[in-house]
Amino acid sequence: MPDRRQPDPSTDDNPFAAPPEGRPDQPWQPRQPQRPQDGGGSGGPGGGPGDPGEGGPARWDPMDPVQRRARYALLSGMWGFFFGIFGIPSVGLLLGALAMYWGISALRGRPATDAEPGGLSALGPAARPQRAAAVSGLVAATLALMLAAGSYALQLAYKDFYVCRDDALTRTAELKCNTLLPDNTLGKILRVQR
């Protein structure tokens, strides 16, 4: 067909295109990553940009319990903090305690055998994202536990107010419970609004 352009063979890298005329079909093979010619990289099979030995970013390995615990610490600490903010301290306390456990166990990372290091230290410099996740999870867990403890401390300190407010059957009775609060900023925050 004269109106169709012929592809340039030097730039044609479409793996789904038919082979040029005169060449037999070849079975499909995955592409090999292009390696820099300056001697960088391992050059061996299986060496990719995610390998810890090349200084690339660490790959998320769901089979590694230490990496899993670091991610669990971050997620449960974050959700524990949100539950604490939104006034559900029991769930925040549970998730904060789990995040604290997972974060500490991820940072300690017990070795699998005595000969080789285990945990995050086994990844070397590639452990930075997992270490950051574990530390962030610990910070979020601490905040979640502080929010839960503060909520329970308030309920204990002003127990009479909370019991009066929960037992009030009418809005007028609920407003009378404000007399049980102190006249400070905290009392103004907890006060039943008209």
Side-chain angles (χ1 to χ4, degrees):
M1 298 174 145
D3 60 338
R4 254 180 111 175
R5 276 189 333 167
Q6 294 296 326
D8 183 12
S10 63
T11 61
D12 186 27
D13 60 351
N14 184 358
F16 303 107
E21 288 184 30
R23 264 179 67 190
D25 286 342
Q26 296 177 346
W28 181 84
Q29 294 177 352
R31 292 184 188 183
Q32 298 298 324
Q34 298 292 331
R35 301 225 178 260
Q37 299 300 325
D38 59 358
S42 62
D51 287 344
E54 290 186 19
R59 296 192 114 174
W60 163 241
D61 181 14
M63 300 305 288
D64 184 7
V66 175
Q67 291 185 33
R68 235 184 7 240
R69 287 178 183 158
R71 299 295 169 110
Y72 288 167
L74 178 62
L75 288 172
S76 62
M78 179 182 62
W79 280 106
F81 176 72
F82 287 142
F83 277 112
I85 291 267
F86 294 129
I88 308 173
S90 57
V91 178
L93 182 66
L94 172 70
L95 290 174
L98 282 172
M100 188 72 71
Y101 168 73
W102 281 324
I104 290 172
S105 66
L107 287 175
R108 287 179 67 192
R110 299 185 181 223
T113 64
D114 294 336
E116 65 183 48
L120 293 178
S121 59
L123 292 174
R128 233 170 91 195
Q130 279 74 27
R131 189 171 289 119
V135 170
S136 301
L138 282 175
V139 170
T142 304
L143 291 173
L145 291 175
M146 287 173 53
L147 283 171
S151 175
Y152 286 130
L154 273 177
Q155 290 179 18
L156 188 62
Y158 300 112
K159 183 178 180 180
D160 295 336
F161 167 74
Y162 283 106
V163 169
C164 176
R165 190 189 68 181
D166 291 341
D167 290 345
L169 297 176
T170 63
R171 187 72 173 167
T172 307
E174 196 174 358
L175 288 170
K176 286 185 181 178
C177 296
N178 287 340
T179 58
L180 300 171
L181 290 172
D183 288 332
N184 58 15
T185 307
L186 184 61
K188 290 177 183 175
I189 292 172
L190 296 176
R191 184 176 305 262
V192 176
Q193 302 299 323
R194 294 176 186 244

